[in-house]
Each structure stands twice: as structure tokens, then as C-alpha cells.
Amino acid sequence: MPITNQDLRKAGLKVTLPRIKILELLESATDHHLSAEDIYKTLLEQGEDVGLATVYRVLTQFEAAGIIERHHFENNHSVFEIMQEDHHDHIVCQSCGRVMEFTNPVIEAEQHRVAAELGFELTGHSLNLYGYCSKPECKDSGRRK
Amino acid sequence: MPITNQDLRKAGLKVTLPRIKILELLESATDHHLSAEDIYKTLLEQGEDVGLATVYRVLTQFEAAGIIERHHFENNHSVFEIMQEDHHDHIVCQSCGRVMEFTNPVIEAEQHRVAAELGFELTGHSLNLYGYCSKPECKDSGRRK
DNA sequence: CTAATTGCAAAAGCTTTGCAGCGCA
DNA sequence: TGCGCTGCAAAGCTTTTGCAATTAG
């Protein structure tokens, strides 16, 4: 279900144009993982008059409100996505930049076991796989950062 | 076994003071995970006349030569460590910054299974757990970034 | 000797902050 | 109307690059 204006208000955030637009983008993106820059450029292309600083501020607020999630991939590339019901990890194509999601209960369980074994109270984790995807249209599409 | 001068030469790198010092630091650090800044500051404290740019250059060359490994943790904190025989993942204490290593064959195997399933040729991965460790002396030691 | 390496300073990302004006509730 | 929000510009950080001087082999 999409994020509603009510959800924003509940998070103590006013319903403003930049916020609505950014949510729309994140919800509609083909692979719904976008960087701040992606969002900024797309909004400019759509004729919106928005500042990059606002994009960052809004994304940070959304993250704090639990509306979106931020991921740091390699080469310092950060992307954002709408928070999902179920947790999932990511696999990123080094060639075309495509991001796919997957869930794996076995890995999940092992992580908790490992943390417990080492005497850690687990608060979070990130698992990212990197490789080359098999899509025919993916032959160094230049998306690399 | 420690990295030798021979290893450096074999990698096409001249044996210079900064390189030796940086290797020494990485090999002797208590938890052998150091950031570029850590290394730079420590060298300065030791009275070495070295530039931060050199530290970054050397680390990058070492990484390319397969001598060290770079990890991106959350909040854009990068650390480096000597390359080990066996692959391992990391668990980081959010409070004291301690980094521990662990290996888990089950997770390892699952990762390959998942990648294959999604049609990816796996080239690398990073798994980091975050939490709070149970060491008594770890009570917000202020190391947080 | 001479190409590799270094320190310094400047530049290049990416992200955050200060501020005056604008706009949602 | 009032405080939150925004765009702009400037500043902060981490990392990289240009360059002349230095050094390993």
C-alpha cells in the first residue's frame, strides 16, 4: 500500500510538494532504489523547482520516520527505497547497476545465531552481493559509477 | 605470516618508508581494522612526516595488489585490514566501535545459491552485522563517529 | 640515472548547515 | 498567523588529483 498524506502527518511532517513528489518517485521507480542525485535530477527534468539540499533533508526525515530505508553500497553509492513489510537483502550488478532483492531465512537465522554466540545484541545488518547479472541488455551499459 | 618487502616488490611496488610503516600499523593494530585517518594520525604521532594523500594512495595500491581489503561500514566509515587466508565477515559494535570477525559456511553457501538462482555471476559480497557488544568496558566509550 | 613515489595544496564528490523568505495547517 | 519547510549558497568531510621535489633500484 502506498504511503498516504496521513502517514506523513503522523510522522510529524507537513504535506509539501517536494515530499509528495519524492514519495511518488520512490514508489514508481522501476527498480525502486534511487540515489539522492537520481531523485534530484528526475525532479528537475519534470520541471519541479527543488533544491538538492531539500532532497537530502526529506530523505533523512523519511528515514528517521521509518518510511524509507537507506543503503550504502560499495564505491560510496547510497540509495533509498520505500520501507517494506519484510526484510530483504540486495544483489547489485557491477555492470548495469541493477539492484535486485532477495530474502533468505537461513542466512537470517544464522546471523542471529552468530551475534548471540559473540555476545552481541544485534540491532541491524547489511548483506550485499555484487556480481554481473545475466540480462542480455546488460553489457556495460555505462551505468557504473 | 607478515607481508615482506619481497611481497611488495612482487606487486610492482617500491619499498618505501610510508609503505612499510603503514603495513606495520595494519599488522600490529589491536583490532587490525583502521581507517585512512587512523593511520595518518598515528603516523604523525609517531613523528613520521607523511601526507594524508600518500596514505590514501598507498592503501589503494595495496588493495589493488590484494595485500589489504577495504570495507565500507555504515555512516560512510571505511576501514582497511590485511588480507586474510580465509574469508570472513564483520560484526561492529555501535557503542565502542570494536570490530569482530566471524566466518559462517552456511551463510557463505547460501549466498552462492542465491546468486546462482538470480542468474548472477558473483564477484564479491559484504556482510556486516551491527549491534552492541557485551564487553564490560564498553559503555559508550565515545568512539562512535 | 630515471621512473616511481612523496608531500603539499587544490579540487572533486557527496552531504549538511545557515539563512531569509514562502507556505501548510 | 506561526512555525515548519524550502531554495540557495556556503561549508564540511572524505577521497582524489596535479605538480615539483625526492628517492629507490
Side-chain angles (χ1 to χ4, degrees), chain A:
Chain A
M1 73 234 62
I3 312 293
T4 63
N5 291 354
Q6 267 311 318
D7 293 326
L8 289 184
R9 292 202 193 85
K10 222 171 292 175
L13 300 173
K14 288 188 177 175
V15 179
T16 65
L17 205 75
R19 285 176 181 159
I20 294 171
K21 289 296 176 186
I22 290 175
L23 273 185
E24 278 178 3
L25 272 189
L26 282 168
E27 283 176 333
S28 68
T30 40
D31 88 3
H32 49 267
H33 299 80
L34 298 176
S35 69
E37 195 69 26
D38 288 338
I39 293 172
Y40 176 61
K41 282 201 206 127
T42 306
L43 289 181
L44 286 194
E45 278 165 22
Q46 293 183 0
E48 300 297 333
D49 176 28
V50 68
L52 182 54
T54 300
V55 173
Y56 275 105
R57 267 183 300 228
V58 168
L59 289 173
T60 302
Q61 291 161 335
F62 282 0
E63 188 189 12
I67 295 174
I68 65 175
E69 220 173 353
R70 171 188 220 131
H71 302 286
H72 297 279
F73 293 153
E74 290 199 348
N75 50 7
N76 294 322
H77 197 56
S78 293
V79 299
F80 299 83
E81 70 172 314
I82 300 278
M83 185 74 93
Q84 317 259 297
E85 284 293 314
D86 50 335
H87 166 77
H88 59 260
D89 296 307
H90 296 87
I91 183 163
V92 186
C93 178
Q94 307 267 264
S95 174
C96 68
R98 188 193 321 269
V99 177
M100 297 188 72
E101 304 172 350
F102 67 89
T103 54
N104 186 301
V106 177
I107 292 181
E108 223 55 38
E110 281 301 303
Q111 288 179 356
H112 283 88
R113 225 178 47 67
V114 167
E117 208 166 77
L118 295 174
F120 268 69
E121 178 196 335
L122 200 59
T123 59
H125 68 265
S126 81
L127 168 58
N128 300 310
L129 306 185
Y130 300 92
Y132 295 99
C133 76
S134 54
K135 295 286 158 62
E137 71 273 27
C138 163
K139 281 295 169 212
D140 271 306
S141 33
R143 252 262 237 146
R144 188 156 352 182
K145 227 303 282 292

Side-chain angles (χ1 to χ4, degrees), chain B residues 7-144:
Chain B
D7 293 326
L8 288 185
R9 293 202 192 84
K10 222 170 292 176
L13 299 174
K14 290 188 175 174
V15 179
T16 65
L17 206 76
R19 284 176 182 157
I20 293 172
K21 288 296 177 188
I22 290 175
L23 273 184
E24 278 178 4
L25 271 189
L26 283 168
E27 283 176 332
S28 69
T30 39
D31 86 3
H32 49 267
H33 299 79
L34 299 175
S35 70
E37 194 70 25
D38 287 338
I39 293 173
Y40 175 60
K41 281 200 208 127
T42 307
L43 289 181
L44 286 195
E45 278 165 21
Q46 293 183 359
E48 300 297 333
D49 176 27
V50 67
L52 182 53
T54 299
V55 173
Y56 275 104
R57 267 183 301 228
V58 168
L59 289 172
T60 303
Q61 292 161 335
F62 283 0
E63 188 190 12
I67 295 174
I68 65 174
E69 220 173 354
R70 171 187 219 132
H71 303 286
H72 298 279
F73 292 156
E74 289 199 349
N75 51 5
N76 295 322
H77 198 56
S78 293
V79 299
F80 299 82
E81 69 172 315
I82 299 278
M83 185 75 92
Q84 317 259 300
E85 285 294 314
D86 50 332
H87 166 78
H88 58 262
D89 296 306
H90 296 88
I91 183 162
V92 186
C93 179
Q94 307 267 263
S95 173
C96 68
R98 187 194 319 270
V99 177
M100 297 189 72
E101 305 173 349
F102 67 90
T103 54
N104 186 302
V106 177
I107 292 181
E108 224 53 39
E110 280 300 303
Q111 288 179 356
H112 283 89
R113 226 177 49 65
V114 166
E117 210 167 76
L118 296 174
F120 269 69
E121 177 196 337
L122 200 59
T123 59
H125 68 265
S126 80
L127 167 59
N128 300 311
L129 306 185
Y130 300 93
Y132 295 99
C133 76
S134 55
K135 294 286 158 62
E137 71 273 27
C138 163
K139 280 297 171 211
D140 272 306
S141 33
R143 254 262 237 144
R144 189 158 348 186

